[in-house]
Amino acid sequence: MELLEKIRRASAYIEEQMDLSPRLGIVLGSGLGALAEQVKDPVVISYDDIPHFKSSTVEGHSGRLVIGMLQEMPVMVLQGRLHYYEGLSMDQVVFPIRCMKMLGVESLIVTNAAGSLDAEYQPGQLMLIRDHIKMVTDSPLRGHNIDSFGPRFNDMSDPYDKEIRELAKQCASQLGIDMKEGVYCYMPGPSYETASEVRMLGILGGHAVGMSTVPEVITACHGGLKVLGISCIANMGTGLRDQPLHHDEIIQVGEQVRKSFTALLESIIRSWPKV
Ligand code: HPA
């Protein structure tokens, strides 16, 4: 079946169950799923039940779509994301974002847990994503272009909307959160980086590294969605620490920042531009 037809069928299934039209999509990263619990009168759909959706196989990712009101904003939250390293194709990884586009979502917030490439970006700190570097060669836009979504060659000069970034900075400052701003490097995983790779990414201009987000952002930009990205720095990158790295540690940091992270996102959503 053609990709566009799969997106239509999945979107139709979701639309049948929802009782509002979501304007904002939110992707919650590793250990950062708690915000979904704040959604009022949620309609919750398991990824398993949606035609052509893949399930999340990673600990810390629930695999549920939550639709409802959050801070007076109709939202569609992906509680748990899909990663390329899970063995999925890029089309499968970004399928939920394409459904969001088809369902009329206008903007996207992406969050993730990331490793630091720079001593100034410490575990527990939040980082507003200013730009990214894609180290994975495969693009979600490779193959037949869906012209009704966006152009064959899409512009990436301002993937993380400048106006929304300013808004996010104001919200962080009002809450007394010391949020950094930096460049996110997308590595394929699932192995963590070597110390040399971490050094290389720092030299290239990166501040944080992770295994997600960029495919979703490229797809959202292609579809004309405004994007905000926030990383939770979960650990120092390999070589900037003397301990081996373990996924449990990353989930734990997500728990530690849960309150401030939720408060920041709620504040940003409250102030989100009305049109
Ligand atoms: N590297 C890649 N992905 C990550 C890391 C890391 O150090 N921490 C959390 N996700």
Side-chain angles (χ1 to χ4, degrees), residues 27-40:
V27 184
L28 297 176
S30 290
L32 302 171
L35 184 72
E37 284 147 31
Q38 305 304 318
V39 175
K40 296 234 168 68

Side-chain angles (χ1 to χ4, degrees), residues 113-115 192-193 209-211 234-235 237 245 250:
Y192 291 114
E193 298 68 38
V209 57
M211 307 174 194
N235 56 278
L245 191 48
I250 286 149

Side-chain angles (χ1 to χ4, degrees), residues 108-241:
L108 182 70
I109 298 180
V110 278
T111 67
N112 59 53
S116 170
L117 301 170
D118 182 317
E120 281 189 29
Y121 295 64
Q122 288 288 321
Q125 237 164 5
L126 301 181
M127 185 190 92
L128 185 61
I129 306 179
R130 170 160 46 84
D131 204 355
H132 68 231
I133 299 177
K134 179 165 83 64
M135 304 299 289
V136 180
T137 53
D138 216 359
S139 164
L141 304 183
R142 180 170 176 266
H144 174 73
N145 185 53
I146 305 180
D147 295 332
S148 54
F149 278 25
R152 167 77 291 184
F153 301 105
N154 70 306
D155 176 67
M156 291 296 284
S157 55
D158 187 24
Y160 302 88
D161 189 86
K162 197 156 189 276
E163 188 193 338
I164 309 267
R165 272 190 280 135
E166 288 309 316
L167 181 104
K169 284 189 234 179
Q170 275 170 25
C171 293
S173 148
Q174 275 159 15
L175 290 167
I177 296 173
D178 172 27
M179 183 167 64
K180 302 279 179 195
E181 188 171 14
V183 175
Y184 176 87
C185 295
Y186 171 42
M187 289 289 271
S191 302
Y192 291 114
E193 298 68 38
T194 62
S196 301
E197 286 166 340
V198 163
R199 235 182 353 264
M200 171 189 78
L201 296 172
I203 291 167
L204 291 180
H207 301 98
V209 57
M211 307 174 194
S212 69
T213 301
V214 168
E216 291 126 323
V217 171
I218 292 174
T219 308
C221 288
H222 181 246
L225 275 68
K226 279 193 178 174
V227 176
L228 173 75
I230 301 180
S231 294
C232 163
I233 304 294
N235 56 278
M236 297 311 290
T238 313
L240 298 177
R241 53 186 273 137

Side-chain angles (χ1 to χ4, degrees), residues 13-22 43 45 67 76 103:
Y13 179 87
I14 297 166
E15 196 165 23
E16 264 170 32
Q17 342 240 338
M18 52 190 215
D19 45 14
L20 48 77
S21 298
V43 169
I45 312 172
I67 303 166
M76 177 178 282
L103 290 165

